[in-house]
Amino acid sequence: MFSAIRVKENYPGAKVVVFEKTNSLLSKLKISGGGRCNVTNGAKTIPELLKAYPRGGKKLKKLFHQFNNHHMMKWLDDRGVAWVLQEDGCIFPKSQNSQTVIDCFLEEAYRLHIKIEKGSAVEALKQKGDQIELGFQNTETSSQVFDKVIVTTGGSPQRRGLEWLENLGHKIENPVPSLFTFNMPHEKITKLMGIVVENTLVNIQGTKLKSEGPLLITHWGMSAPAILVLSSFGARLLSEKDYHFKVQVNWVHEPNNEIVRQVLEELVQQHPKKKLGNYRPYLLPERLWYYMLEKCELSPEKIWSELSKKAMNKIINTLTNDIYEVKGKTTFRDEFVTCGGVSLESIDMNTMQSKVVKNLYFAGEVCDIDAITGGYNFQAAWSTAYIAGQLK
Ligand SMILES: Cc1cc2nc3c(=O)[nH]c(=O)nc-3n(C[C@H](O)[C@H](O)[C@H](O)COP(=O)(O)OP(=O)(O)OC[C@H]3O[C@@H](n4cnc5c(N)ncnc54)[C@H](O)[C@@H]3O)c2cc1C
């Protein structure tokens, strides 16, 4: 829809048709962001924006110079869609309702006389000279020929869904899910479900994957940004590991164990008579601290100043290097995105035109571009659609 609007703005005389295979338009946008649509992100600079894209990042740079999150904010302003920037950088429509964005797109499409054909699944694409013929799944819709075609079919969780583009000669990066939470079926920590630790460091053992930020303990394992970022940056590697690996959690966001030791020693000096259970280092949530003491086989009744060196080391190790076995994954609030799709090697990233089929363009999640949560996935869709819509 966004690229169709761009095409019509650039070429007002063109006949523009949107073919949608289902009977409802923009259904993913409707349910996005829990029905509120996290439409973009407030990142201040392009380098900051690029950090959110494990795949596509470098190649998005040029596109973002032409159309980035700030252009999208202005695009919404110009069309009367008020938005709000949250503290975490996410941008939502002020109405807190994705329908506002949908209504804006539909009004634009109506104003620009864009034709919308629902229930029309494109299943074949043939080059006919410089033109492109589209064939449809339902036999009632006869094939149609266009001067230019933009494919925006979204992420496909299975390679089969991309075969029609692969058969044309496009390189396909195997699709695997991104943005998921970690299952820990054999770990007792799940009993602490609901606890959030605001500032953790997390890494995946034996890899370079690391992240930081809030971590939520769930009844199946771990979630929240620290975990989702790892799932996004590690989407392909973790799929190769069949989602079986170990995570190391540093609950106190302090990579230097000696600093943690100093903090604890100062604590012992200041409160020599306090019991372990009565003083939580780094103000950790109480239930988590008790769980850690149990893990270290230490009684909450024990006095801090009576701790042996070995016991102190155990506490420091649990605070900074707590290891959990992950077996399996769970989709985060159904907000999965696909890592993989049409390889950017098959796309001219200055125009979004296919390098294989003349006058064929790509935009959105069908391309091998995806990001962490925070409005970045939509922003990649808007930016690629904006460039594709120039039909250069
Ligand atoms: C539950 C959920 C919540 C999300 N929330 C957010 C969020 O708040 N912020 C954010 O940035 N990202 C979010 N995302 C990711 C974001 O929705 C996607 O990255 C984005 O929708 C991609 O846009 P797209 O146009 O490329 O694909 P889609 O939105 O998937 O649209 C593709 C359309 O093409 C149609 N189609 C597919 N094949 C054919 C065919 N052969 N012929 C005709 N039509 C076809 C589909 O029916 C669909 O309507 C969320 C994802 C999910 C699943």
Side-chain angles (χ1 to χ4, degrees):
M1 287 295 282
F2 195 75
S3 41
I5 292 166
R6 280 305 300 159
V7 171
K8 209 49 186 161
E9 282 172 347
N10 289 323
Y11 305 93
K15 173 189 163 198
V16 178
V17 189
V18 173
F19 294 104
E20 165 55 52
K21 79 170 171 188
T22 66
N23 284 317
S24 61
L25 274 180
L26 300 164
S27 51
K28 220 190 219 180
L29 201 149
K30 174 84 180 158
I31 57 166
S32 68
R36 297 193 297 140
C37 181
N38 181 186
V39 68
T40 186
N41 189 278
K44 289 206 172 66
T45 62
I46 291 176
E48 197 186 323
L49 192 60
L50 289 172
K51 278 190 206 150
Y53 296 87
R55 284 150 295 270
K58 272 188 206 152
K59 295 200 168 173
L60 282 171
K61 194 171 171 185
K62 265 193 197 162
L63 301 191
F64 283 157
H65 277 290
Q66 292 186 65
F67 193 84
N68 58 44
N69 51 336
H70 295 276
H71 295 108
M72 188 59 194
M73 293 174 215
K74 176 153 188 328
W75 193 92
L76 294 169
D77 284 341
D78 291 346
R79 286 155 186 83
V81 178
W83 47 267
V84 284
L85 170 63
Q86 290 189 171
E87 240 174 58
D88 60 3
C90 296
I91 290 183
F92 288 89
K94 198 173 175 195
S95 63
Q96 300 289 327
N97 189 343
S98 55
Q99 191 61 41
T100 311
V101 183
I102 294 177
D103 290 345
C104 166
F105 281 17
L106 293 179
E107 279 163 26
E108 286 292 279
Y110 181 77
R111 178 179 71 79
L112 294 164
H113 305 290
I114 292 168
K115 199 168 169 213
I116 293 168
E117 301 233 0
K118 293 187 206 167
S120 301
V122 178
E123 72 166 359
L125 208 150
K126 244 190 254 159
Q127 192 152 28
K128 285 211 154 176
D130 276 354
Q131 292 185 309
I132 295 173
E133 184 184 73
L134 296 184
F136 296 88
Q137 232 166 48
N138 43 336
T139 39
E140 292 120 63
T141 319
S142 45
S143 57
Q144 298 185 39
V145 176
F146 291 89
D147 293 330
K148 312 248 181 191
V149 170
I150 307 177
V151 172
T152 62
T153 44
S156 168
Q158 276 154 13
R159 197 179 177 110
R160 222 174 338 117
L162 295 159
E163 270 170 5
W164 63 299
L165 299 170
E166 191 170 21
N167 293 342
L168 290 168
H170 297 101
K171 186 178 170 200
I172 302 296
E173 299 295 346
N174 213 23
V176 294
S178 179
L179 293 184
F180 46 84
T181 66
F182 295 172
N183 293 0
M184 301 177 171
H186 308 301
E187 299 287 2
K188 285 189 197 144
I189 194 159
T190 52
K191 282 194 282 185
L192 306 183
M193 62 184 161
I195 285 184
V196 180
V197 179
E198 284 303 332
N199 204 7
T200 63
L201 287 174
V202 188
N203 66 289
I204 294 179
Q205 249 186 6
T207 74
K208 289 182 179 160
L209 292 167
K210 55 182 176 191
S211 70
E212 60 187 340
L215 187 152
L216 166 71
I217 301 165
T218 64
H219 67 270
W220 65 88
M222 289 180 185
S223 178
I227 299 299
L228 292 170
V229 166
L230 284 180
S231 80
S232 177
F233 278 85
R236 202 161 286 290
L237 183 66
L238 302 183
S239 154
E240 282 161 17
K241 289 180 178 288
D242 203 17
Y243 307 104
H244 189 185
F245 51 89
K246 285 187 176 155
V247 283
Q248 288 173 283
V249 183
N250 185 320
W251 296 104
V252 296
H253 199 278
E254 179 47 76
N256 186 340
N257 279 7
E258 283 318 300
I259 294 184
V260 180
R261 188 181 304 279
Q262 277 168 25
V263 169
L264 296 187
E265 281 171 359
E266 272 169 34
L267 158 79
V268 175
Q269 274 176 12
Q270 284 165 16
H271 309 280
K273 295 280 173 265
K274 279 237 186 218
K275 292 178 184 170
L276 294 185
N278 288 349
Y279 197 94
R280 296 170 281 135
Y282 293 85
L283 292 176
L284 286 169
E286 192 171 348
R287 282 201 297 145
L288 178 62
W289 177 234
Y290 270 73
Y291 159 86
M292 286 178 174
L293 291 178
E294 197 185 324
K295 205 172 177 184
C296 297
E297 295 169 324
L298 290 167
S299 160
E301 294 302 312
K302 198 163 179 70
I303 308 293
W304 269 102
S305 59
E306 291 169 6
L307 271 187
S308 66
K309 197 171 172 204
K310 195 172 159 203
M312 185 62 109
N313 285 343
K314 255 189 183 175
I315 290 184
I316 294 171
N317 196 49
T318 309
L319 288 173
T320 59
N321 183 25
D322 204 14
I323 297 175
Y324 294 91
E325 187 188 21
V326 176
K327 256 192 156 181
K329 61 171 173 50
T330 298
T331 306
F332 168 68
R333 291 196 320 216
D334 291 334
E335 293 191 20
F336 55 88
V337 295
T338 308
C339 148
V342 177
S343 166
L344 304 188
E345 286 173 29
S346 293
I347 302 172
D348 174 352
M349 294 299 285
N350 293 310
T351 58
M352 294 309 291
Q353 184 166 186
S354 158
K355 287 185 183 170
V356 183
V357 180
K358 195 176 169 197
N359 291 327
L360 179 70
Y361 298 77
F362 293 101
E365 211 182 308
V366 67
C367 308
D368 181 27
I369 298 171
D370 63 274
I372 59 174
T373 55
Y376 302 105
N377 282 298
F378 273 138
Q379 186 54 50
W382 313 139
S383 297
T384 49
Y386 183 91
I387 304 299
Q390 292 171 347
L391 301 178
K392 291 274 170 63

